[in-house]
Amino acid sequence: MSCRAASLHALMLFWRWRAPPFPLPEAGAYWLARRFRVLPFVGQLANPKNPMKQMTPLEELRHSASHILATAILRLYPEAKLDIGPPTDAGFYYDIDLDHKLSLEDLEKIEAEMKKIVKENQRFERQEVSRDEAIELIKKIGQERYKLGRLEDIPEGEEISFYRNGEFIDLCAGTHVKYTSKVKAFKLLNIAGAYHRGDEKNKQLQRIYGTAFPNKEELATYLKNLEEAKQRDHRKLGREQKLFHIDEAVGQGLVLWTPKGSIIRQELQNFISEELRQQGYDQVFTPHIGKLGLYRTSGHFPYYKESQFTPIVENDELEHLAHEGCSCAQLSNMVDKGEVDGFLLKPMNCPMHIKIFDSQRHSYRDLPIRLAEFGTVYRWEQSGELNGMTRVRGFTQDDAHIFCTEDQLASEIHGCLDLVKKVFGTLGMNDYRVRLSLRDPDSTKYVGRPEAWDKAEAALREAVQVLGVPYNEEPGEAAFYGPKIDFVVKDVIGREWQLGTVQVDYNLPERFELSYIGADNQEHRPVMVHRAPFGSLERFTGVLIEHFAGNFPVWLSPEQVRILPITDDQLEFAQEVQKKLQAAKIRVSIDSHSDKFGAKVRRAEMEKVPYMFVIGKNEAAEGNVTIRSRVNKAHDGAKPADEAIGLILEQIAEKALPVLEEKA
RNA sequence: GCCCUUGUAGCUCAGUCGGUAGAGCACUUCCUUGGUAAGGAAGAGGUCGGCGGUUCAAAUCCGCUCGAGGGCUCCA
């Protein structure tokens, strides 16, 4: 497939700019759904190393509901091939292989059939069999396509059991409720594609999600909570409060920070900058693109290629190659092999910071050197993965790289962890978990020597133990160049997002042959620490919007005070007060609409302005304002304007967290 | 990228059986100057995501495509 200059060029342009201008999308209503985490014991089937655990009553209930689901499916679609149907932390699912594409209408039918089965009050019966009997039984019920594989997962010597209810029988470790009638409150929620055994190379099955509770009330509460959670979705609040905008014409996953959102971002940056100054970091700036060679040295280009935007090759080079009859495939190959040079939109900041470090000779006396940058990086995320501000293609990290000696490593890691803790604590984000992300020894996606990895992993493990917070070790979660400690939080619908991160890296210093001169006058290799307490400003802000449900603390609020004159007669005094507030560097506006007072209050409430200064006839006469806040809705008496301003300044200086009314 | 769902005004939505579009909020103007979550009136605003097809006629039916939502996979 060879192409001429024009089409080759067009193709390269196409690769570079994949965002044609299309009209703005409409945010469709999203279906009740959430990411379910499969409970550990389910691994009994998938992962024979896990010991069998007794299910809790709720798990039994949901597991039984999934069997009832499978029973109903086989009644309606006898040709369906079943895979697995475990309970999860929020419900259950069953994966089935069925040519008929299930629709939401089908779900209703299936649910109706399930209700019948519940009414039939079938008994769940356990049956233990030998391996040969199991094979025979699976063949007899015509479910050999997936169940035989699942059977093979059960190690020799372990008990093999089936569960039967009515006409349905399924390879299953259990346990179950006694009768189908125990499953009183359940609901099928949605259909999704799911690869068999979670492997992209395998066939995609149809997964039906549902949930079940001991009674109708709990189910109703769950569904209601799900609805309410959607009210604080950062995409909804971001639009309503004009915090950010994503425009098709600009490109998928590329965030436009609107003026109000920019204030939040700027405040967050100021906050972190101040901390960095105190902790001895140096601020740097680096460009958005760099030569491919740089990223070959770092390993990004080979190891991280799928996640990057296509390299940028210069026009002259392209035309020259096209004249020589170079095909697109050849070009791509040459770029890969380094025979053609180009530039890469940077996927990470580290190589640039490394080059700053390496631009000078360093003595051990200089170390640690801490280079910090709000660095914007670009990554080619799969379209199906993009999500508001939390998963995007261009984002700014509050990044820094520390170059230190082996001896300094522990205290540097501790410094970073403290910083992350401080950031989270200041914002009242206490609901996070700590993940020690290690390499998967069986994978080839990592650079560097195993010994370097071992050292780095040990250093982080020790640090996180000293930190004294609960954590879990997760192999396979490491960055390609090193292990990390991640701070992970959940969004409103239960999805987990990695925010702050601290990573130890022995590999990049080696790849870039970094060195410093030690006390012995010999060259030594420094160790690198990568860290970002927010992770990315986009993701962090998205999570923050949901965390506060749009009710930002005063120091972060785009508008901190709104002055509400009761009538136009107070406008003059309102402007005086506004000037005072502005002089105190408080973000303030006056609502001078010709609305009734109640409407002004309503508008400010809906826009979640933390403080309203009410100015009526009485206040104006005495130089007072009456404060209406989120806690104290009204009637706290009038105060002199200066005193009121003092109160606000105090809140800002303290970075006080919002105190809201008790929520139902 | 894959599976399901979805796309009508800035926002939230209605639009019956195909007969060239409606509401509320927001916006503009005018009236109204009011004490803690919506005062009144008028006006402006959309070739129904895009392209193609079926039809005398398409927002409505079909195909392709782009975007969005949920899930899977991935996630440095």
Side-chain angles (χ1 to χ4, degrees):
Chain A
M1 177 181 86
S2 79
C3 39
R4 306 217 155 268
S7 60
L8 177 60
H9 189 222
L11 183 71
M12 289 307 286
L13 280 175
F14 174 67
W15 281 355
R16 272 190 246 164
W17 310 109
R18 289 192 221 197
F22 281 101
L24 250 174
E26 172 80 16
Y30 60 41
W31 184 239
L32 298 172
R34 53 176 296 165
R35 172 176 296 187
F36 298 98
R37 192 129 71 104
V38 176
L39 298 166
F41 62 79
V42 174
Q44 212 269 340
L45 276 182
N47 179 1
K49 285 168 197 156
N50 281 352
M52 167 72 178
K53 288 179 193 164
Q54 177 67 34
M55 288 193 180
T56 66
L58 184 61
E59 289 158 1
E60 275 193 348
L61 182 78
R62 289 172 173 171
H63 187 195
S64 301
S66 97
H67 274 227
I68 295 170
L69 167 61
T71 311
I73 287 166
L74 285 181
R75 279 190 187 177
L76 296 169
Y77 311 97
E79 71 280 19
K81 300 301 172 205
L82 305 175
D83 189 9
I84 50 166
T88 67
D89 59 359
F92 62 90
Y93 66 81
Y94 215 111
D95 283 350
I96 58 164
D97 187 354
L98 180 64
D99 288 338
H100 170 70
K101 301 281 180 206
L102 292 169
S103 68
L104 292 176
E105 285 163 23
D106 295 327
L107 273 198
E108 284 171 28
K109 283 183 219 154
I110 295 167
E111 201 173 290
E113 194 61 42
M114 287 173 72
K115 281 182 179 148
K116 276 192 213 162
I117 294 162
V118 168
K119 263 199 179 156
E120 286 166 21
N121 199 16
Q122 300 173 349
R123 186 187 163 89
F124 281 100
E125 287 171 293
R126 183 185 175 94
Q127 184 182 352
E128 283 153 23
V129 296
S130 71
R131 191 165 292 264
D132 289 342
E133 288 169 330
I135 294 169
E136 204 172 305
L137 190 48
I138 289 168
K139 285 183 178 165
K140 196 174 145 202
I141 55 176
Q143 290 294 346
E144 47 273 65
R145 193 177 299 171
Y146 301 103
K147 293 295 182 187
L148 282 181
R150 297 291 176 187
L151 176 67
E152 279 169 24
D153 292 342
I154 304 173
E156 281 306 328
E158 212 159 276
E159 203 165 77
I160 297 170
S161 62
F162 282 76
Y163 270 81
R164 182 192 294 277
N165 59 286
E167 77 275 20
F168 180 71
I169 185 156
D170 197 5
L171 176 68
C172 174
T175 48
H176 281 281
V177 296
K178 288 211 164 55
Y179 293 95
T180 56
S181 61
K182 296 276 181 200
V183 186
K184 287 188 172 64
F186 68 92
K187 185 167 176 59
L188 296 185
L189 297 173
N190 62 351
I191 310 162
Y195 300 106
H196 172 54
R197 292 185 185 276
D199 188 337
E200 226 174 346
K201 294 184 200 83
N202 289 341
K203 182 165 185 184
Q204 192 166 57
L205 310 178
Q206 301 191 68
R207 174 173 294 179
I208 300 178
Y209 279 106
T211 193
F213 285 89
N215 55 58
K216 293 233 160 63
E217 291 71 37
E218 283 181 55
L219 175 64
T221 304
Y222 171 77
L223 295 174
K224 195 172 138 244
N225 287 344
L226 220 51
E227 281 302 314
E228 280 178 4
K230 288 196 292 192
Q231 298 306 308
R232 58 198 289 168
D233 189 308
H234 77 279
R235 289 164 297 192
K236 177 179 157 72
L237 291 174
R239 187 172 51 242
E240 285 174 359
Q241 294 184 38
K242 302 185 177 74
L243 300 174
F244 70 96
H245 174 63
I246 293 173
D247 197 300
E248 249 184 271
V250 175
Q252 291 179 284
L254 299 172
V255 176
L256 303 176
W257 292 77
T258 49
K260 288 187 175 182
S262 300
I263 289 172
I264 294 171
R265 170 172 170 159
Q266 190 63 56
E267 288 290 350
L268 290 173
Q269 288 187 194
N270 292 347
F271 167 46
I272 206 82
S273 297
E274 189 50 46
E275 293 297 325
L276 295 184
R277 264 192 290 280
Q278 288 175 20
Q279 294 192 15
Y281 283 78
D282 297 312
Q283 173 79 49
V284 297
F285 296 95
T286 66
H288 288 219
I289 65 172
K291 288 176 85 169
L292 269 175
L294 180 69
Y295 296 98
R296 288 202 180 91
T297 306
S298 69
H300 286 92
F301 193 56
Y303 284 91
Y304 197 43
K305 191 165 167 251
E306 292 73 44
S307 303
Q308 289 160 178
F309 278 79
T310 304
I312 301 164
V313 178
E314 291 166 68
N315 275 337
D316 289 353
E317 180 90 89
L318 275 182
E319 278 168 22
H320 170 71
L321 287 167
H323 270 294
E324 292 186 348
C326 173
S327 74
C328 300
Q330 283 166 340
L331 172 63
S332 173
N333 199 17
M334 288 166 84
V335 168
D336 277 0
K337 287 202 291 205
E339 290 163 9
V340 171
D341 209 357
F343 292 86
L344 199 61
L345 265 171
K346 67 176 173 186
M348 292 174 101
N349 301 305
C350 18
M352 305 259 189
H353 292 183
I354 286 171
K355 282 298 173 191
I356 291 177
F357 173 85
D358 205 25
S359 63
Q360 288 171 16
R361 220 38 174 139
H362 290 290
S363 151
Y364 71 98
R365 295 174 198 277
D366 300 337
L367 303 184
I369 286 177
R370 309 183 185 92
L371 302 178
E373 175 182 18
F374 292 102
T376 305
V377 297
Y378 298 89
R379 300 182 185 175
W380 186 259
E381 304 288 357
Q382 296 191 100
S383 61
E385 266 312 329
L386 299 172
N387 183 284
M389 284 186 117
T390 49
R391 189 83 183 259
V392 293
R393 286 182 173 163
F395 55 93
T396 302
Q397 300 177 310
D398 56 328
D399 209 359
H401 295 92
I402 300 170
F403 302 84
C404 64
T405 68
E406 195 87 35
D407 292 344
Q408 294 165 332
L409 181 60
S411 81
E412 288 305 312
I413 297 174
H414 292 151
C416 295
L417 291 177
D418 282 344
L419 179 59
V420 178
K421 264 175 79 176
K422 172 154 193 192
V423 165
F424 278 48
T426 301
L427 292 157
M429 299 173 71
N430 303 314
D431 191 17
Y432 59 83
R433 70 184 186 92
V434 177
R435 179 175 71 196
L436 179 55
S437 299
L438 308 172
R439 74 190 187 286
D440 171 3
D442 298 329
S443 173
T444 55
K445 67 173 186 174
Y446 306 103
V447 297
R449 295 173 295 114
E451 309 84 71
W453 276 86
D454 290 340
K455 266 205 297 197
E457 290 184 352
L460 282 175
R461 187 177 289 117
E462 196 194 320
V464 77
Q465 280 163 357
V466 171
L467 187 68
V469 296
Y471 69 97
N472 15 7
E473 297 195 4
E474 295 185 26
E477 293 291 320
F480 77 83
Y481 52 78
K484 48 189 186 140
I485 294 169
D486 297 321
F487 292 73
V488 180
V489 302
K490 280 187 182 179
D491 71 7
V492 290
I493 50 179
R495 289 179 297 208
E496 288 197 324
W497 300 102
Q498 175 200 312
L499 295 177
T501 179
V502 178
Q503 316 177 354
V504 172
D505 184 0
Y506 284 90
N507 286 311
L508 291 183
E510 221 167 275
R511 294 179 77 92
F512 282 95
E513 298 178 343
L514 299 183
S515 68
Y516 66 90
I517 306 299
D520 56 2
N521 200 27
Q522 299 293 308
E523 286 198 350
H524 295 271
R525 188 80 77 212
V527 189
M528 265 178 85
V529 178
H530 310 237
R531 43 101 286 177
F534 289 147
S536 93
L537 287 159
E538 283 76 6
R539 178 176 290 180
F540 195 87
T541 303
V543 169
L544 213 53
I545 292 169
E546 300 188 355
H547 171 65
F548 289 122
N551 295 296
F552 289 97
V554 197
W555 70 281
L556 281 177
S557 288
E559 185 177 350
Q560 295 168 315
V561 175
R562 182 169 301 175
I563 301 173
L564 307 183
I566 304 273
T567 76
D568 289 354
D569 292 341
Q570 289 89 47
L571 261 179
E572 202 179 318
F573 178 60
Q575 279 156 1
E576 257 176 58
V577 175
Q578 183 185 33
K579 277 190 190 130
K580 282 187 178 181
L581 282 153
Q582 282 167 339
K585 295 185 179 153
I586 292 170
R587 296 183 287 268
V588 57
S589 76
I590 299 177
D591 187 339
S592 53
H593 283 77
S594 67
D595 282 314
K596 287 181 77 167
F597 182 65
K600 294 183 186 182
V601 170
R602 178 168 190 270
R603 188 158 40 234
E605 286 283 348
M606 299 222 303
E607 291 174 23
K608 301 189 195 289
V609 180
Y611 290 101
M612 290 170 235
F613 281 10
V614 177
I615 296 177
K617 201 167 50 187
N618 305 328
E619 287 89 344
E622 294 170 35
N624 288 340
V625 300
T626 300
I627 302 178
R628 179 185 164 106
S629 69
R630 293 158 172 159
V631 201
N632 154 39
K633 286 296 181 195
H635 309 305
D636 196 23
K639 284 185 177 55
D642 290 331
E643 193 184 324
I645 291 169
L647 287 173
I648 306 295
L649 285 176
E650 222 170 85
Q651 296 279 303
I652 293 171
E654 284 173 12
K655 296 197 165 44
L657 291 169
V659 183
L660 301 173
E661 279 185 307
E662 278 186 23
K663 284 205 167 163

